[in-house]
Amino acid sequence: ALADYKNLNRRSLETINSAVRNARTELLAELLLVIDYLDMALLAECTTEEASNLHFGVSLTRDQMLGVLERFEVKPISDLESFDPTLHQAVAKVEDPEREEGDIVEIKRKGYMIGDKVLRHADVHVIGVEDPPAVEVLPDEDSAKSDAPDEGAAPEEEPSEA
């Protein structure tokens, strides 16, 4: 009975730790979206002193949020030159005969890791080859026969509204 109790206790702690880890990961992923918005705000041109002050405040807020992410072992994915499907998500394919297939042209959204796991893939534009020409697939005889209605069968009736 004591061994069963210890096993139950251990499993309960593992379940709780897993739930906390999952909830923390979801929260940190949502914070990345907020950081994206702050980055966009920092791209705005500052033409007045008020805008410069606002820019400074947004920059401090962004830096504080990045500090919080670091405390939870969240780090940006380093910028790589070639596409890695475990770290990147190709959102657009670009044609450039002067570059090799799989080269990253532009990073549209930065990716992040939490420990050794991907928290958010980096969205990238990547060099790719043209898609192969489409090949028309013809149905085989058996499937063509099964799709055709039987000549002796009565046509299907539409359900009437009552």
Side-chain angles (χ1 to χ4, degrees):
L2 185 59
D4 286 342
Y5 176 74
K6 285 183 179 181
N7 286 334
L8 176 65
N9 224 4
R10 181 185 47 79
R11 282 192 306 268
S12 296
L13 284 174
E14 288 173 1
T15 302
I16 291 169
N17 287 337
S18 176
V20 168
R21 201 171 27 256
N22 289 339
R24 181 179 54 167
T25 300
E26 288 179 29
L27 176 64
L28 293 172
E30 291 294 323
L31 285 177
L32 293 178
L33 186 58
V34 175
I35 290 174
D36 290 342
Y37 292 144
L38 293 174
D39 286 338
M40 285 188 269
L42 291 173
L43 294 175
E45 188 177 328
C46 298
T47 56
T48 65
E49 186 177 335
E50 289 175 343
S52 294
N53 289 339
L54 183 61
H55 185 275
F56 181 70
V58 170
S59 178
L60 287 177
T61 303
R62 179 186 177 277
D63 292 344
Q64 284 289 330
M65 290 190 73
L66 288 175
V68 169
L69 291 176
E70 272 188 39
R71 285 195 298 269
F72 285 96
E73 299 179 20
V74 176
K75 301 205 184 313
I77 293 175
S78 60
D79 296 339
L80 302 174
E81 292 181 14
S82 62
F83 181 76
D84 180 354
T86 61
L87 301 174
H88 303 113
Q89 179 175 348
V91 294
K93 181 176 67 170
V94 179
E95 301 299 326
D96 187 350
E98 297 176 8
R99 297 185 65 181
E100 287 188 36
E101 180 181 353
D103 284 352
I104 294 174
V105 177
E106 182 180 8
I107 298 173
K108 295 305 282 182
R109 188 171 75 159
K110 198 156 196 58
Y112 289 86
M113 305 277 291
I114 183 166
D116 60 348
K117 295 182 180 178
V118 174
L119 182 59
R120 180 176 81 184
H121 289 84
D123 291 346
V124 297
H125 289 186
V126 65
I127 299 292
V129 295
E130 278 192 43
D131 291 333
V135 177
E136 186 177 340
V137 178
L138 299 174
D140 59 8
E141 269 187 48
D142 293 335
S143 67
K145 286 180 185 176
S146 65
D147 290 344
D150 291 339
E151 288 184 26
E156 291 183 24
E157 293 183 22
E158 298 274 330
S160 61
E161 292 182 23

